[in-house]
Amino acid sequence: MSIAPEIARQISIMAPASGSLAATLAAPRAAPFAPERLALVDAVRKAILADPQARSRPEMVALAFWARAASLAQLAPKDGLTRAPRGLALHIAPGNVDTMFLYSALLSVLAGNVNIVRVSGRESDALTLLLRLLNEALATLPEDVRACLLIVRYPAEKPINDALSAHADVRVIWGGDDTVREVRLSPLPPHASELTFPSKVSAAVIDAAAWGSAPDRQEQARRFALDAITFGQQACSSPLALFWRGDAASVTAAQATFWPLVESAIAAAGEPFAARAAVDKLVAEQMLAAAGPVHHRDTSDYRLRVTETPDLARLTRHASDGFFVERRIDALADLAPMVQRDWQTIASLGVSGDDWRAMLAASRPHGIDRIVPFGQALAFGHVWDGVNLLTALTRIVSVEV
């Protein structure tokens, strides 16, 4: 079964430069972690590290670090089971995190699948750079290897999703809730599976006493700032709120030193800042003030705005590009009633793993998929939103003879 010509004409191929839908649909699958698939991932890693512009972007350096051989060796399954690729994986990539399409694609490449990846039609310098580097990397590989990965752009229209989904053995949807609903209107073959990664929100938690005695407060503030402002605070794992654990006096003292360091770190990072973001933050502040008692923290400009609200009961994306709400809690147990199914990442400082495990065991919240130290909120892993992607992108063959 091929793609109808009237559909194929609406699909733009972004990489590889010589790629085609026909070649990818006919491309061979591979054993998970086959040498030629490892070589593809390594070629992408080398292309990123060889480019000065890419090396200046922390998110691309992080991608290259993830793709190093030592890291990939840890991902390879060691359970002794016989695994096979699913087949053709159709990926719908998000528009808010430029590197995510490559993480999704490369994991599926490692799983042995053939891949069609739709990237956002939203233009960005980072996406343009990544596509150029990917083309350079794929050009160094044999034709049958590079055919396993096809990056495309097309209008978000149901007939095109229908045509591509009809070929899929697994579909991976990254994006907002509306994107998931829209793509799900396109049926999959009966045997196919689907992974969805819809809208999520994230927060940070700091133990006030631990912050007060921390020897590396400037570094921790820098890590928090990068977790938040990279991708304009639009990533699902970027913290939107900060919960302080401790008594009122300890929290007040910690806030007085923490936020000035964060403000300095944001200024030093030199991330672009649009005037519209300042207006969005002002509106968000006014809406919060209208809803109940709040305290707006003084900052030098609208690159950082913080609103303390004792009545914070639901984590919401009020604004971005450096907008936070904060609240004091006495204990982690105070978080449990607030946790919703859409909570993804907690960036944690000064709270032990034992404390978190005890809280999770006692409350068993619907949400919270990962708890990480400051500086790791945006670090991608093969376990995401509670799903082991490598397991989900392969199938187990039971051999009982």
Side-chain angles (χ1 to χ4, degrees), residues 24-352:
T24 293
L25 292 175
R29 290 163 289 178
F33 289 83
E36 66 271 21
R37 297 303 185 88
L38 288 166
L40 189 157
V41 177
D42 193 56
V44 174
R45 180 189 67 84
K46 289 177 178 176
I48 292 172
L49 294 179
D51 188 272
Q53 189 178 354
R55 290 200 308 273
S56 71
R57 292 178 173 267
E59 72 274 20
M60 296 188 190
V61 174
L63 173 58
F65 184 77
W66 171 86
R68 72 196 193 285
S71 175
L72 300 184
Q74 296 177 6
L75 298 182
K78 300 174 179 63
D79 52 18
L81 298 174
T82 300
R83 296 183 181 274
R86 290 277 179 181
L88 177 71
L90 173 63
H91 307 253
I92 309 297
N96 60 334
V97 178
D98 295 310
T99 53
M100 188 58 75
F101 85 95
L102 263 181
Y103 280 117
S104 186
L106 294 180
L107 269 176
S108 190
V109 163
L110 290 172
N113 295 310
V114 175
N115 301 274
I116 297 176
V117 185
R118 179 187 182 268
V119 294
S120 172
R122 186 187 310 169
E123 296 289 346
S124 76
D125 293 342
L127 181 56
T128 299
L129 174 59
L130 283 171
L131 290 172
R132 174 175 67 79
L133 296 175
L134 181 58
N135 270 307
E136 292 175 3
L138 293 176
T140 66
L141 301 171
E143 183 176 353
D144 62 331
V145 176
R146 63 175 178 263
C148 79
L149 179 57
L150 189 72
I151 311 299
V152 300
R153 251 188 193 137
Y154 60 81
E157 296 175 359
K158 187 174 182 296
I160 309 176
N161 282 330
D162 286 349
L164 294 176
S165 295
H167 289 268
D169 297 291
V170 58
R171 186 167 63 191
V172 187
I173 310 173
W174 304 86
D177 293 351
D178 290 342
T179 298
V180 173
R181 294 188 187 100
E182 178 184 328
V183 177
R184 276 183 162 171
L185 295 175
S186 296
L188 287 166
H191 71 275
S193 61
E194 183 174 66
L195 304 173
T196 62
F197 300 93
S199 301
K200 292 290 183 87
V201 290
S202 298
V205 175
I206 301 179
D207 181 86
W211 171 260
S213 61
D216 57 345
R217 289 188 292 186
Q218 184 172 353
E219 173 60 17
Q220 292 297 339
R222 185 189 72 84
R223 293 177 184 180
F224 173 86
L226 291 179
D227 280 344
I229 64 171
T230 305
F231 306 120
Q233 208 178 5
Q234 291 290 325
C236 287
S237 55
S238 299
L240 307 176
L242 175 56
F243 296 93
W244 292 95
R245 184 178 72 169
D247 61 73
S250 297
V251 168
T252 298
Q255 291 168 321
T257 55
F258 178 76
W259 288 116
L261 288 174
V262 172
E263 186 172 18
S264 296
I266 290 175
E271 291 288 325
F273 181 73
R276 185 185 67 183
V279 175
D280 290 344
K281 292 174 191 178
L282 178 60
V283 171
E285 287 177 339
Q286 293 172 340
M287 291 179 65
L288 287 168
V294 298
H295 168 66
H296 299 309
R297 194 165 301 284
D298 289 333
T299 56
S300 63
D301 61 27
Y302 270 83
R303 282 183 174 269
L304 171 67
R305 299 302 291 178
V306 184
T307 298
E308 185 173 7
T309 169
D311 298 325
L312 176 62
R314 180 169 177 80
L315 193 53
T316 303
R317 192 180 299 277
H318 297 284
S320 56
D321 270 340
F323 185 86
F324 303 93
V325 292
E326 61 177 345
R327 173 182 166 174
R328 186 185 73 82
I329 57 175
D330 290 309
L332 292 185
D334 297 336
L335 282 179
M338 290 182 271
V339 176
Q340 302 293 319
R341 192 177 293 276
D342 63 352
W343 281 37
Q344 187 206 67
T345 298
I346 300 290
S348 175
L349 178 65
V351 182
S352 71

